[in-house]
Amino acid sequence: MKHSLLFAFVFFLTACSQGPESPRGFSLPEGDLERGEQVFVQYDCLSCHRLQGYDAVVTERELDTPIILGGTVTKVKTYAELLTSVINPSHRLASGYQDEQIMDDAGQSLMRNYNDIMTVSELIDLVAFLESYYELNPYAQSHYHMYYP
Ligand code: HEC
C-alpha cells in the first residue's frame, strides 16, 4: 500500500513536470545587472517596494507599507517565481501582509502592470538584477552548445 502511494506520488510529480504548463524548457538569455538596476529605478519599483540590501533615497511612496523584495524571507523561491511575480503579479500574492496592503477588492495585486511598457530585454535585465538580491534556488539555464552523450 505504502509503495503504491509513493508510486502514485512520483508519477504525479513526473506527470506535472512534463505537462504543457510545466516550466520545463524555460530559458532566458543572461541579463545584465547594471542595466537591470537602471530599469528598477526607471520604473519606480521603489515607490511600492524596499529591496533588502539596496540603499536608495525614495521620494515618492505609493504604498503605506512597502513590500519587501530580496533576501530569504519572501515567498519568491525560484527564478521562475521571481519572473512571474513581475509579469503576472496576481498569480500568487506576496505573503505576510494584510489583504488590503497587497490587493484590491477583486483580489488582484496592487502591483502595477508593466507588460505593455517594459521590453523583454528590460525584463530580463531587471530580473537578473533582482535575482542578485535573493537567495533563490538555482535556475538551470540551457547551454545550447553542450551536448550530452
Ligand atoms: C503601485 C505599487 C507597486 C509598484 C510600482 C511595483 N510593485 Fe511589485 N508589488 C506590489 C504589491 C502590492 C505586491 C504584493 C502583491 C503581489 O505579490 O503581487 C508586489 C509584489 C512584487 C513581487 C513579489 C514579492 C513577493 O514576495 O512575492 C515582486 C518580485 C515585485 N513586486 C517586483 C516589482 C518590480 C521589479 C517593480 C518595478 C518594475 C514593482 N514590483 C513595482 C506593488 C507594486
Short mmCIF file of all heavy atoms in Angstrom, two decimals, residues 35-74:
data_model
loop_
_atom_site.label_atom_id
_atom_site.label_comp_id
_atom_site.label_asym_id
_atom_site.label_seq_id
_atom_site.Cartn_x
_atom_site.Cartn_y
_atom_site.Cartn_z
N ARG A 35 22.25 47.22 -16.21
CA ARG A 35 21.07 47.73 -16.93
C ARG A 35 19.80 47.41 -16.13
O ARG A 35 18.86 48.18 -16.10
CB ARG A 35 21.00 47.11 -18.33
CG ARG A 35 21.94 47.79 -19.31
CD ARG A 35 21.45 47.61 -20.74
NE ARG A 35 21.27 46.21 -21.07
CZ ARG A 35 22.14 45.49 -21.77
NH1 ARG A 35 23.23 46.06 -22.22
NH2 ARG A 35 21.93 44.23 -22.02
N GLY A 36 19.81 46.26 -15.46
CA GLY A 36 18.66 45.88 -14.65
C GLY A 36 18.41 46.87 -13.53
O GLY A 36 17.27 47.20 -13.22
N GLU A 37 19.47 47.38 -12.95
CA GLU A 37 19.32 48.38 -11.88
C GLU A 37 18.69 49.65 -12.44
O GLU A 37 17.81 50.26 -11.82
CB GLU A 37 20.67 48.69 -11.24
CG GLU A 37 20.55 49.72 -10.13
CD GLU A 37 21.85 49.98 -9.39
OE1 GLU A 37 22.88 49.39 -9.75
OE2 GLU A 37 21.80 50.79 -8.44
N GLN A 38 19.13 50.03 -13.65
CA GLN A 38 18.53 51.23 -14.28
C GLN A 38 17.04 51.03 -14.50
O GLN A 38 16.24 51.94 -14.29
CB GLN A 38 19.21 51.52 -15.62
CG GLN A 38 20.62 52.07 -15.47
CD GLN A 38 21.40 51.97 -16.79
OE1 GLN A 38 20.83 51.81 -17.86
NE2 GLN A 38 22.72 52.08 -16.69
N VAL A 39 16.67 49.82 -14.92
CA VAL A 39 15.25 49.53 -15.15
C VAL A 39 14.47 49.64 -13.83
O VAL A 39 13.40 50.24 -13.75
CB VAL A 39 15.07 48.11 -15.75
CG1 VAL A 39 13.60 47.75 -15.90
CG2 VAL A 39 15.77 48.00 -17.09
N PHE A 40 15.06 49.07 -12.80
CA PHE A 40 14.44 49.07 -11.47
C PHE A 40 14.17 50.51 -11.00
O PHE A 40 13.10 50.81 -10.47
CB PHE A 40 15.40 48.36 -10.50
CG PHE A 40 14.88 48.16 -9.12
CD1 PHE A 40 13.84 47.28 -8.88
CD2 PHE A 40 15.43 48.84 -8.04
CE1 PHE A 40 13.36 47.08 -7.58
CE2 PHE A 40 14.97 48.64 -6.75
CZ PHE A 40 13.93 47.76 -6.52
N VAL A 41 15.13 51.39 -11.24
CA VAL A 41 14.98 52.79 -10.82
C VAL A 41 14.00 53.51 -11.75
O VAL A 41 13.07 54.18 -11.30
CB VAL A 41 16.37 53.49 -10.82
CG1 VAL A 41 16.21 54.99 -10.57
CG2 VAL A 41 17.28 52.84 -9.79
N GLN A 42 14.19 53.29 -13.04
CA GLN A 42 13.37 53.98 -14.05
C GLN A 42 11.88 53.69 -13.89
O GLN A 42 11.05 54.57 -14.08
CB GLN A 42 13.86 53.53 -15.42
CG GLN A 42 13.11 54.13 -16.60
CD GLN A 42 13.44 53.34 -17.87
OE1 GLN A 42 14.51 52.72 -17.98
NE2 GLN A 42 12.52 53.35 -18.81
N TYR A 43 11.53 52.45 -13.55
CA TYR A 43 10.12 52.08 -13.44
C TYR A 43 9.56 52.26 -12.03
O TYR A 43 8.48 51.76 -11.71
CB TYR A 43 9.90 50.65 -13.92
CG TYR A 43 9.94 50.54 -15.43
CD1 TYR A 43 11.04 49.98 -16.07
CD2 TYR A 43 8.89 51.00 -16.20
CE1 TYR A 43 11.09 49.89 -17.45
CE2 TYR A 43 8.93 50.90 -17.58
CZ TYR A 43 10.03 50.35 -18.21
OH TYR A 43 10.07 50.26 -19.57
N ASP A 44 10.32 52.97 -11.19
CA ASP A 44 9.79 53.36 -9.87
C ASP A 44 9.36 52.20 -8.98
O ASP A 44 8.40 52.34 -8.21
CB ASP A 44 8.56 54.28 -10.04
CG ASP A 44 8.99 55.71 -10.19
OD1 ASP A 44 10.11 56.04 -9.77
OD2 ASP A 44 8.19 56.50 -10.72
N CYS A 45 10.03 51.09 -9.08
CA CYS A 45 9.67 49.95 -8.24
C CYS A 45 9.73 50.32 -6.76
O CYS A 45 8.96 49.80 -5.96
CB CYS A 45 10.60 48.78 -8.52
SG CYS A 45 10.77 48.38 -10.26
N LEU A 46 10.63 51.25 -6.45
CA LEU A 46 10.81 51.60 -5.04
C LEU A 46 9.68 52.45 -4.47
O LEU A 46 9.64 52.69 -3.28
CB LEU A 46 12.15 52.30 -4.84
CG LEU A 46 13.37 51.37 -4.95
CD1 LEU A 46 14.66 52.15 -4.97
CD2 LEU A 46 13.38 50.36 -3.79
N SER A 47 8.76 52.89 -5.33
CA SER A 47 7.65 53.65 -4.76
C SER A 47 6.71 52.71 -4.00
O SER A 47 5.91 53.15 -3.19
CB SER A 47 6.91 54.43 -5.84
OG SER A 47 6.30 53.54 -6.73
N CYS A 48 6.81 51.42 -4.24
CA CYS A 48 5.99 50.45 -3.52
C CYS A 48 6.83 49.39 -2.81
O CYS A 48 6.28 48.57 -2.07
CB CYS A 48 5.05 49.73 -4.47
SG CYS A 48 3.82 50.79 -5.25
N HIS A 49 8.10 49.37 -3.07
CA HIS A 49 8.94 48.29 -2.53
C HIS A 49 10.14 48.80 -1.77
O HIS A 49 10.58 49.93 -1.95
CB HIS A 49 9.47 47.42 -3.67
CG HIS A 49 8.41 46.59 -4.33
ND1 HIS A 49 7.86 45.48 -3.72
CD2 HIS A 49 7.79 46.70 -5.53
CE1 HIS A 49 6.94 44.96 -4.53
NE2 HIS A 49 6.88 45.68 -5.62
N ARG A 50 10.69 47.91 -0.97
CA ARG A 50 12.01 48.11 -0.39
C ARG A 50 12.79 46.87 -0.78
O ARG A 50 12.28 45.75 -0.68
CB ARG A 50 11.91 48.21 1.13
CG ARG A 50 12.97 49.09 1.76
CD ARG A 50 12.49 49.58 3.11
NE ARG A 50 12.07 48.44 3.95
CZ ARG A 50 12.89 47.82 4.78
NH1 ARG A 50 14.12 48.18 4.93
NH2 ARG A 50 12.46 46.80 5.51
N LEU A 51 14.02 47.08 -1.26
CA LEU A 51 14.83 45.94 -1.67
C LEU A 51 15.91 45.75 -0.61
O LEU A 51 16.73 46.65 -0.39
CB LEU A 51 15.45 46.24 -3.05
CG LEU A 51 16.38 45.17 -3.63
CD1 LEU A 51 15.68 43.83 -3.78
CD2 LEU A 51 16.92 45.63 -5.00
N GLN A 52 15.86 44.62 0.05
CA GLN A 52 16.80 44.38 1.15
C GLN A 52 18.24 44.44 0.67
O GLN A 52 18.61 43.75 -0.27
CB GLN A 52 16.54 43.01 1.75
CG GLN A 52 15.30 42.98 2.60
CD GLN A 52 15.27 41.74 3.47
OE1 GLN A 52 16.10 41.57 4.34
NE2 GLN A 52 14.32 40.89 3.21
N GLY A 53 19.03 45.29 1.32
CA GLY A 53 20.44 45.39 0.97
C GLY A 53 20.71 46.44 -0.10
O GLY A 53 21.84 46.64 -0.52
N TYR A 54 19.65 47.14 -0.54
CA TYR A 54 19.82 48.16 -1.58
C TYR A 54 19.42 49.51 -0.99
O TYR A 54 18.27 49.72 -0.60
CB TYR A 54 18.92 47.82 -2.77
CG TYR A 54 19.05 48.75 -3.94
CD1 TYR A 54 20.11 48.61 -4.85
CD2 TYR A 54 18.13 49.77 -4.16
CE1 TYR A 54 20.22 49.46 -5.94
CE2 TYR A 54 18.24 50.62 -5.25
CZ TYR A 54 19.29 50.46 -6.13
OH TYR A 54 19.40 51.30 -7.22
N ASP A 55 20.40 50.42 -0.92
CA ASP A 55 20.12 51.74 -0.34
C ASP A 55 19.68 52.71 -1.42
O ASP A 55 20.34 52.83 -2.44
CB ASP A 55 21.39 52.30 0.33
CG ASP A 55 21.61 51.64 1.67
OD1 ASP A 55 20.60 51.29 2.32
OD2 ASP A 55 22.77 51.47 2.06
N ALA A 56 18.60 53.37 -1.16
CA ALA A 56 18.15 54.36 -2.14
C ALA A 56 17.30 55.41 -1.44
O ALA A 56 16.63 55.12 -0.45
CB ALA A 56 17.34 53.68 -3.23
N VAL A 57 17.36 56.59 -1.96
CA VAL A 57 16.51 57.65 -1.42
C VAL A 57 15.19 57.60 -2.19
O VAL A 57 15.19 57.70 -3.41
CB VAL A 57 17.17 59.04 -1.62
CG1 VAL A 57 16.34 60.12 -0.97
CG2 VAL A 57 18.58 59.01 -1.07
N VAL A 58 14.12 57.40 -1.46
CA VAL A 58 12.83 57.30 -2.14
C VAL A 58 12.05 58.58 -1.87
O VAL A 58 11.84 58.97 -0.73
CB VAL A 58 12.04 56.08 -1.62
CG1 VAL A 58 10.71 55.98 -2.35
CG2 VAL A 58 12.85 54.82 -1.83
N THR A 59 11.64 59.22 -2.94
CA THR A 59 10.94 60.49 -2.77
C THR A 59 9.43 60.30 -2.73
O THR A 59 8.72 60.99 -2.03
CB THR A 59 11.30 61.46 -3.92
OG1 THR A 59 11.26 60.73 -5.14
CG2 THR A 59 12.67 62.06 -3.73
N GLU A 60 8.97 59.33 -3.49
CA GLU A 60 7.52 59.16 -3.57
C GLU A 60 7.11 57.76 -3.14
O GLU A 60 7.66 56.77 -3.61
CB GLU A 60 7.08 59.35 -5.03
CG GLU A 60 5.72 59.96 -5.15
CD GLU A 60 5.40 60.21 -6.62
OE1 GLU A 60 6.13 61.00 -7.24
OE2 GLU A 60 4.46 59.59 -7.11
N ARG A 61 6.16 57.69 -2.22
CA ARG A 61 5.68 56.38 -1.76
C ARG A 61 4.25 56.18 -2.20
O ARG A 61 3.39 57.00 -1.91
CB ARG A 61 5.73 56.34 -0.23
CG ARG A 61 7.08 56.07 0.32
CD ARG A 61 7.10 54.75 1.10
NE ARG A 61 8.45 54.24 1.24
CZ ARG A 61 9.00 53.34 0.41
NH1 ARG A 61 8.31 52.80 -0.55
NH2 ARG A 61 10.23 52.93 0.58
N GLU A 62 3.98 55.08 -2.87
CA GLU A 62 2.60 54.82 -3.28
C GLU A 62 1.87 53.89 -2.33
O GLU A 62 0.66 53.82 -2.32
CB GLU A 62 2.58 54.21 -4.69
CG GLU A 62 2.87 55.23 -5.76
CD GLU A 62 2.74 54.63 -7.15
OE1 GLU A 62 1.71 54.01 -7.44
OE2 GLU A 62 3.69 54.79 -7.93
N LEU A 63 2.63 53.12 -1.55
CA LEU A 63 2.01 52.22 -0.58
C LEU A 63 2.45 52.61 0.82
O LEU A 63 3.60 52.98 1.03
CB LEU A 63 2.46 50.77 -0.82
CG LEU A 63 2.02 50.06 -2.10
CD1 LEU A 63 2.56 48.64 -2.11
CD2 LEU A 63 0.51 50.05 -2.23
N ASP A 64 1.54 52.53 1.78
CA ASP A 64 1.91 52.85 3.16
C ASP A 64 2.93 51.87 3.69
O ASP A 64 3.87 52.23 4.38
CB ASP A 64 0.66 52.83 4.07
CG ASP A 64 -0.30 53.93 3.66
OD1 ASP A 64 0.17 54.88 3.00
OD2 ASP A 64 -1.51 53.81 3.98
N THR A 65 2.71 50.59 3.37
CA THR A 65 3.64 49.56 3.81
C THR A 65 4.39 49.03 2.60
O THR A 65 3.81 48.33 1.78
CB THR A 65 2.87 48.36 4.43
OG1 THR A 65 1.89 48.87 5.31
CG2 THR A 65 3.81 47.42 5.14
N PRO A 66 5.67 49.42 2.47
CA PRO A 66 6.39 48.90 1.30
C PRO A 66 6.52 47.39 1.34
O PRO A 66 6.68 46.80 2.41
CB PRO A 66 7.76 49.58 1.39
CG PRO A 66 7.87 50.15 2.75
CD PRO A 66 6.49 50.27 3.32
N ILE A 67 6.39 46.75 0.19
CA ILE A 67 6.53 45.30 0.10
C ILE A 67 8.03 44.99 -0.04
O ILE A 67 8.69 45.56 -0.90
CB ILE A 67 5.78 44.75 -1.15
CG1 ILE A 67 4.34 45.29 -1.22
CG2 ILE A 67 5.82 43.23 -1.20
CD1 ILE A 67 3.42 44.85 -0.13
N ILE A 68 8.49 44.12 0.82
CA ILE A 68 9.92 43.83 0.85
C ILE A 68 10.31 42.86 -0.27
O ILE A 68 9.68 41.83 -0.45
CB ILE A 68 10.32 43.16 2.19
CG1 ILE A 68 9.77 43.94 3.38
CG2 ILE A 68 11.84 43.00 2.28
CD1 ILE A 68 10.41 45.26 3.62
N LEU A 69 11.34 43.24 -0.99
CA LEU A 69 11.89 42.34 -2.01
C LEU A 69 13.29 41.91 -1.57
O LEU A 69 13.97 42.63 -0.85
CB LEU A 69 12.00 43.05 -3.36
CG LEU A 69 10.72 43.64 -3.96
CD1 LEU A 69 11.03 44.29 -5.30
CD2 LEU A 69 9.65 42.59 -4.11
N GLY A 70 13.71 40.75 -2.04
CA GLY A 70 15.07 40.29 -1.76
C GLY A 70 15.18 39.50 -0.48
O GLY A 70 14.22 39.37 0.29
N GLY A 71 16.37 38.94 -0.25
CA GLY A 71 16.61 38.15 0.96
C GLY A 71 16.00 36.77 0.88
O GLY A 71 15.74 36.25 -0.20
N THR A 72 15.70 36.23 2.04
CA THR A 72 15.17 34.86 2.05
C THR A 72 13.76 34.79 2.61
O THR A 72 13.13 33.76 2.56
CB THR A 72 16.04 33.96 2.94
OG1 THR A 72 16.20 34.63 4.20
CG2 THR A 72 17.39 33.70 2.34
N VAL A 73 13.28 35.92 3.14
CA VAL A 73 12.00 35.87 3.85
C VAL A 73 10.78 35.85 2.95
O VAL A 73 9.71 35.49 3.38
CB VAL A 73 11.86 37.04 4.85
CG1 VAL A 73 12.82 36.89 5.99
CG2 VAL A 73 12.07 38.36 4.13
N THR A 74 10.94 36.27 1.71
CA THR A 74 9.76 36.39 0.85
C THR A 74 9.37 35.03 0.29
O THR A 74 10.08 34.05 0.43
CB THR A 74 10.02 37.35 -0.32
OG1 THR A 74 11.14 36.85 -1.03
CG2 THR A 74 10.32 38.73 0.17
#
